[in-house]
Amino acid sequence: MVTVRGFFGRSSTPVAVLLLVPLASLAPLVPLAPVQTAAASAVREPVAETAADWTPPLSTRGRWIVDADGDRFKLRSGNWHGASGTWNGSGSVDDDANHHAGENSGRTPLGLDRAPMAEIIAGFQEIGINSIRLPFSNEMIHDTRPVTDTAVAANPALRGSTPLQVYDAVVRELTAAGLAVVLNNHTNTTRWCCGVDGNERWNASQSTQAWEDDWLFMARRYKDNQRVVGADLYNEVRRNIWDDPNWGLGDDHDWFAASQRLGDRILTEADADLLIIVEGINWTGIPIDGFAHERPTLAPVRNLSHTLVDSGKLVYSAHFYDYTGPNHSGATGTGETTDPRYRDFSPAELIDVLNRQAFFVTAEQDKHFTAPVWISEFGVGGREETNAKARAWFENFVDQLVRTDADFAYWPLVGRHENRRGNGWALLHWDSAGRRMGVYDGDDWRAAAWTRLIGAGGRTGQVAPVTEWSMLSPDHGDFVASRRMRALPDWDSGARKAVCPDGQRLLGLSHTGNRGLCSDVTAGPLRDPAGGHEVVRDERYVKAGGDWASGYTKLQCPDGDFLTGYSVRGAAVSAALCAAAPPGAISGTSGRTVWFDRGDNRGSAPKGGDFGNGHYKGQCGDDEYVAGVAYTGRVGSSRTPDAVLCRGLR
């Protein structure tokens, strides 16, 4: 055993954690009285959307989030933390000194002891926030102990409430003010995040089943509140003492599989209107020079992306702080590696690493991974921040957010101060007498950058519908992205099944690896609403004289049907799933064979991205559909796809 000081995530003040590694209406609105100076008014340009400015629910079109009218809705968000816990994990919970930065939230969103909720919310709107990321813990959901009177001293109507009832009231008042709320499962236990603390994974201190059940409970709880717009599934997935999380290995540490499954369950069993927000992996490896370690963030998405049962509901997220880095945990002293932190990069280097880790997801269009990216945590110290590199990083990072027109959520919104001193990371602080200190009070160096960010121009108004590209990945089990097929009996028992989302058709397959590519390009939804489906396991629909892959077994759809799914047993093709198109919508008499058994065959300018990284792939053209798949059963073959039959759309 080697004892290492390491840090895997956000902290208002970087904190080292011990890592053992093997070598109803509540209070009335109180008028705000911030300190105003000429300097403050010179940079202050608050932008606040009212309830009339957007229409829920939210969805996505390509890289943009849009409201129900199809207008771009930019998440200009902040984190209102506290309900998920501020206790550091040792000492008495009742002692403020044992809470992060001495700020004891009392198991409630921070600040309810010092200011009426209406005043806090008005402060959010004043600085231009239109949405709130609201952390909760799984423990909080089940905690039946009333919060202390002290924790809600400025909001006496909440006395005697459980933490969940306080959370309910906060959600109600935020949304009544026109703000959007994203529910964020921050931790398993009600304590400060994010080290080796029992909250490293969604199933670190609880079972995966308990995690899913809690999410279904929370999604259903706020289903009738349309301004609750998103489910941020879990915060900063990272290594525990012994094991790393992964993206696609199929075990109980597979964050890709866990988030894919839960996202589909929320949409199909709880609330189909919610955005499903999936953060990348925050940390893997041992943070010691000479050992492999990194902050993968969203880099794995390029090769393996989510396909939810409802297209237009997936949002990816990532976190960035100056003191961490692409290979730096953020530790200081023991456990600190020689890897550069983000603040050590030049502006050009920073842009390059940010694009590689996260921003490529929005920058590259017509890919299976194209989606909005929400930078759901970033922040920096305020008045007392003296590190020139940290200050420069914040300016450069804000420039990146402005340049990319990114959705964002600052960490945190609310903090405490006494005599204008304290944990300065928050944008709004209250002292014990209820006096507010804000980012626009004239002495906060972040004011100009915040104004630049919150008022930045960008995409507004209508966003036209876009072509959807989706990956199928039945690597370790069924990957059925069709609501229609999920509701029907198992169509190939014992096989792993992959089905395109409703409204899309299969366009590509990989020779090995079982991956597929779906799209609605050119044709839009192709299925006949009155038509059915057919499972094809033999060559009954290959007509005489129509042998398009001589010597190979061909699973071909009947004329008038298109391939919408497939099944595999091991690596071998098991069956083809065909769906009926409207009469006359597709060609059924001719086609071309696309071979991909010895190399990629995807056309000169294929869209959709690499849906089978490291494997040969075949893909039909944008004006075609897959009508059949061929394989060989000869000795030495694994019966993997070798060719597809591409036919034209009418």
Side-chain angles (χ1 to χ4, degrees):
M1 284 285 188
V2 178
T3 301
V4 181
R5 309 281 299 176
F7 182 76
F8 298 132
R10 167 262 314 119
S11 170
S12 298
T13 304
V15 177
V17 297
L18 187 63
L19 168 62
L20 298 178
V21 296
L23 239 256
S25 178
L26 297 173
L29 177 62
V30 177
L32 302 177
V35 177
Q36 287 296 312
T37 67
S41 60
V43 299
R44 187 173 188 173
E45 299 175 11
V47 180
E49 286 168 330
T50 66
D53 287 327
W54 62 286
T55 306
L58 302 181
S59 58
T60 70
R61 290 181 178 176
R63 64 137 296 176
W64 308 105
I65 297 172
V66 298
D67 72 1
D69 297 323
D71 292 325
R72 195 271 174 101
F73 183 88
K74 183 173 182 176
L75 288 171
R76 295 196 305 271
S77 320
N79 286 268
W80 191 2
H81 76 295
S84 61
T86 51
W87 180 53
N88 284 325
S90 62
S92 171
V93 175
D94 298 324
D95 187 346
D96 289 357
N98 297 325
H99 290 254
H100 178 72
E103 296 178 337
N104 184 351
S105 70
R107 297 174 291 146
T108 73
L110 194 68
L112 297 179
D113 60 331
R114 300 188 170 205
M117 194 187 307
E119 179 181 332
I120 296 173
I121 294 171
F124 298 161
Q125 293 176 308
E126 182 181 328
I127 62 173
I129 295 296
N130 68 8
S131 43
I132 298 295
R133 183 176 184 247
L134 194 63
F136 68 87
S137 73
N138 298 92
E139 182 182 352
M140 183 208 83
I141 296 172
H142 304 283
D143 192 344
T144 59
R145 297 168 299 152
V147 301
T148 64
D149 289 353
T150 300
V152 292
N155 294 270
L158 295 176
R159 290 178 180 171
S161 300
T162 66
L164 181 57
Q165 289 169 339
V166 174
Y167 194 91
D168 288 341
V170 169
V171 169
R172 183 176 65 248
E173 296 303 309
L174 285 168
T175 56
L179 295 167
V181 171
V182 174
L183 310 175
N184 163 233
N185 188 188
H186 210 67
T187 53
N188 296 175
T189 63
T190 304
R191 61 168 291 184
W192 185 253
C193 172
C194 291
V196 181
D197 53 13
N199 294 303
E200 301 87 358
R201 297 188 314 275
W202 62 99
N203 56 2
S205 301
Q206 62 187 358
S207 68
T208 297
Q209 184 64 52
W211 175 64
E212 292 184 1
D213 289 345
D214 282 351
W215 255 121
L216 295 179
F217 169 82
M218 291 293 277
R220 290 166 181 154
R221 189 174 187 87
Y222 305 110
K223 181 178 181 180
D224 293 334
N225 188 337
Q226 288 256 286
R227 296 194 186 278
V228 175
V229 299
D232 185 351
L233 300 185
Y234 203 71
N235 181 72
E236 296 192 2
V237 172
R238 57 197 182 275
R239 181 186 176 90
N240 63 8
I241 293 176
W242 300 107
D243 298 304
D244 285 326
N246 66 79
W247 193 273
L249 294 185
D251 58 19
D252 65 356
H253 293 181
D254 185 345
W255 175 228
F256 169 81
S259 53
Q260 171 72 41
R261 172 181 162 84
L262 178 58
D264 281 341
R265 288 199 69 193
I266 289 173
L267 292 173
T268 57
E269 300 177 38
D271 188 351
D273 288 335
L274 289 176
L275 296 174
I276 302 300
I277 300 168
V278 180
E279 187 180 337
I281 292 178
N282 195 58
W283 186 263
T284 61
I286 302 171
I288 302 175
D289 286 336
F291 287 77
H293 53 263
E294 66 172 329
R295 188 179 302 278
T297 56
L298 292 174
V301 172
R302 183 177 292 280
N303 295 328
L304 180 58
S305 64
H306 295 72
T307 296
L308 299 174
V309 293
D310 294 327
S311 299
K313 287 298 180 181
L314 174 67
V315 175
Y316 284 117
S317 72
H319 296 175
F320 293 101
Y321 292 96
D322 71 281
Y323 55 85
T324 60
N327 298 93
H328 202 302
S329 70
T332 57
T334 303
E336 181 175 5
T337 63
T338 57
D339 305 290
R341 303 172 190 261
Y342 290 113
R343 67 188 179 210
D344 296 325
F345 292 112
S346 70
E349 291 170 333
L350 181 63
I351 291 171
D352 180 65
V353 72
L354 293 176
N355 286 342
R356 284 189 285 108
Q357 289 198 290
F359 288 85
F360 74 91
V361 176
T362 58
E364 299 182 32
Q365 302 302 296
D366 286 321
K367 300 293 193 293
H368 62 80
F369 55 74
T370 303
V373 171
W374 185 35
I375 305 302
S376 54
E377 285 189 26
F378 75 104
V380 72
R383 292 162 176 80
E384 298 178 45
E385 178 59 77
T386 59
N387 187 315
K389 282 189 173 183
R391 286 191 173 203
W393 170 86
F394 186 72
E395 298 283 355
N396 292 332
F397 192 76
V398 165
D399 287 345
Q400 172 76 352
L401 294 176
V402 172
R403 181 185 307 110
T404 58
D405 197 6
D407 299 83
F408 59 85
Y410 184 88
W411 182 283
L413 286 176
V414 177
R416 292 179 175 178
H417 80 98
E418 293 299 333
N419 299 318
R420 305 184 71 77
R421 301 293 298 273
N423 174 18
W425 277 56
L427 298 179
L428 300 169
H429 299 79
W430 279 266
D431 68 10
S432 56
R435 291 182 291 261
R436 196 193 77 170
M437 177 178 72
V439 68
Y440 286 126
D441 285 357
D443 58 346
D444 192 324
W445 66 272
R446 300 169 299 176
W450 180 254
T451 297
R452 187 166 79 255
L453 175 60
I454 210 74
R459 179 71 178 265
T460 61
Q462 280 283 305
V463 177
V466 299
T467 296
E468 300 283 352
W469 296 90
S470 304
M471 172 188 283
L472 297 180
S473 53
D475 304 20
H476 308 289
D478 286 354
F479 202 92
V480 178
S482 163
R483 277 182 174 266
R484 177 184 178 122
M485 295 307 301
R486 289 168 74 99
L488 296 175
D490 190 338
W491 51 273
D492 194 358
S493 180
R496 304 193 311 279
K497 293 162 285 292
V499 186
C500 294
D502 295 331
Q504 297 185 35
R505 66 190 187 277
L506 193 70
L507 269 186
L509 283 173
S510 62
H511 174 56
T512 51
N514 303 130
R515 299 283 175 83
L517 180 69
C518 306
S519 184
D520 60 357
V521 64
T522 304
L526 200 56
R527 181 190 284 270
D528 184 350
H533 70 274
E534 183 169 353
V535 179
V536 177
R537 296 184 175 87
D538 54 36
E539 295 189 344
R540 71 185 62 190
Y541 294 113
V542 180
K543 296 179 179 179
D547 188 349
W548 50 274
S550 180
Y552 287 72
T553 301
K554 295 164 283 293
L555 307 184
Q556 182 176 325
C557 294
D559 291 349
D561 282 20
F562 60 95
L563 206 63
T564 187
Y566 55 95
S567 58
V568 294
R569 297 176 188 270
V573 176
S574 176
L577 180 67
C578 302
I586 59 178
S587 169
T589 58
S590 62
R592 65 187 182 98
T593 303
V594 173
W595 292 96
F596 50 96
D597 55 333
R598 299 182 182 180
D600 277 2
N601 191 352
R602 302 179 59 211
S604 59
K607 298 174 185 174
D610 188 345
F611 61 92
N613 184 55
H615 303 277
Y616 298 148
K617 295 165 288 293
Q619 184 171 332
C620 297
D622 292 357
D623 58 350
E624 295 178 317
Y625 66 96
V626 177
V629 56
Y631 64 87
T632 179
R634 63 175 175 261
V635 176
S637 171
S638 298
R639 295 178 56 200
T640 57
D642 292 309
V644 291
L645 173 63
C646 298
R647 283 179 168 171
L649 304 168
R650 294 282 186 188

